[in-house]
Amino acid sequence: MAAKSQPNIPKAKSLDSVTNDRTASQGQWGRAWEVDWFSLGSIIFLLLCAPFIVYYFIMACDQYSCALTGPVVDIATGRARLSDIWAKTPPITRKAAQLYTLWVTFQVLLYTSLPDFCHKFLPGYVGGIQEGAVTPAGVVNKYQINGLQAWLLTHLLWFANAHLLSWFSPTIIFDNWIPLLWCANILGYAVSTFAMVKGYFFPTSARDCKFTGNFFYNYMMGVEFNPRIGKWFDFKLFFNGRPGIVAWTLINLSFAAKQRELHGHVTNAMVLVNVLQAIYVIDFFWNETWYLKTIDICHDHFGWYLGWGDCVWLPYLYTLQGLYLVYHPVQLSTPHTMGVLLLGLVGYYIFRVANHQKDLFRRTDGRCLIWGKKPKVIECSYMSADGQRHHSKLLVSGFWGVARHFNYVGDLMGSLAYCLACGGGHLLPYFYIIYMAILLTHRCLRDEHRCASKYGRDWERYTAAVPYRLLPGIF
């Protein structure tokens, strides 16, 4: 969507003003104002169970060589008690706390203190100061885009240490994996709680806050839309990309180093996982400006869902394939290797080209070619809370004419490739594709609900032109 108008940024309002303006703001798109019982039940379930799910997966690898049924069978047959499993779980350590504090501090410094210079010498890369999308209240935020720079500097330091400096072992992340989990949980809960308090008492933009009256929903889904400290430290942009996604490739490298230490070599399966996931991570940072227009930044408020999720869920469950391969060093046949690589690359191609088509369409306001032809569009309009009417265009050409979220198909193909690289010995590495299928289907439905609320009849015209959400002829 290419929004044309650029409204003035309104001044922050008090909590009373937000409450009094609620009736006038009911027509906004975005996060819900009211909470039904199903949503509330789902949220309470996630708040209670998501931390346990992460612990269970990591504990199963640590104590049961990644056999997911192992703990359940042991408890059911009386061979172990919950207290026995917990007693074998490494606690938080001073070393882990120091490492994690140093890691987060380093990423904060890279984010806030070093303006981007990559855009000055990398052709095609867009970094530096960039504008986000129009928020429901009519605000247009500016962002310091320097994620690629942070990723490059972090990994240069990692490889310099591994080959020259020897400050720490390349296996340091794996060796402290569970103690670091407790540190990540502390940060995740701390930042989520701070964001909740900030949203109530000193929000950055009060008109973009939403209060449902339900504590659990507000805590999980967030109150404030774009919480910030100072001019540039944006919570959503920082925690979505750093420290979690910058760490993703470092975690995989540490797992590869541990596999070499334990088994004397790095398997082709581990290489595949490292390469395919590194492509995804580098793509994320290369296109960080594009990311400003995605659902995470444009629609989601900042709460536990993003704060804890980016600190714990992402780095610990998105890296399960590499962790599994430490315990089970799979060596794939050449046909299997080539098939997985092809699946991952084709998936990446669809994912990248689809997103590039929309980004190109947005940046040129439709004055471009998609698959060699002038793009077909649906003209639409929407109203922000400040009373301004904005005009947009919805793309119905290229991959966006095949299905309304066809980029997710490429994402799912890449996700499946990560899992297939681990062979078929255990279920654990396949959690990722199961989770991504549920997540992306849910995102389809969430996004379309918002768009229907935002665009009204214009959205009906769009869905008539592109009838399928994800898979043509199926869904």
Side-chain angles (χ1 to χ4, degrees), residues 54-85:
V54 176
Y55 168 74
Y56 187 88
F57 273 84
I58 304 307
M59 175 273 298
C61 281
D62 183 55
Q63 298 184 31
Y64 291 87
S65 296
C66 299
L68 284 180
T69 58
V72 175
V73 171
D74 270 11
I75 292 172
T77 57
R79 288 199 296 264
R81 295 173 298 177
L82 287 174
S83 59
D84 298 328
I85 292 174

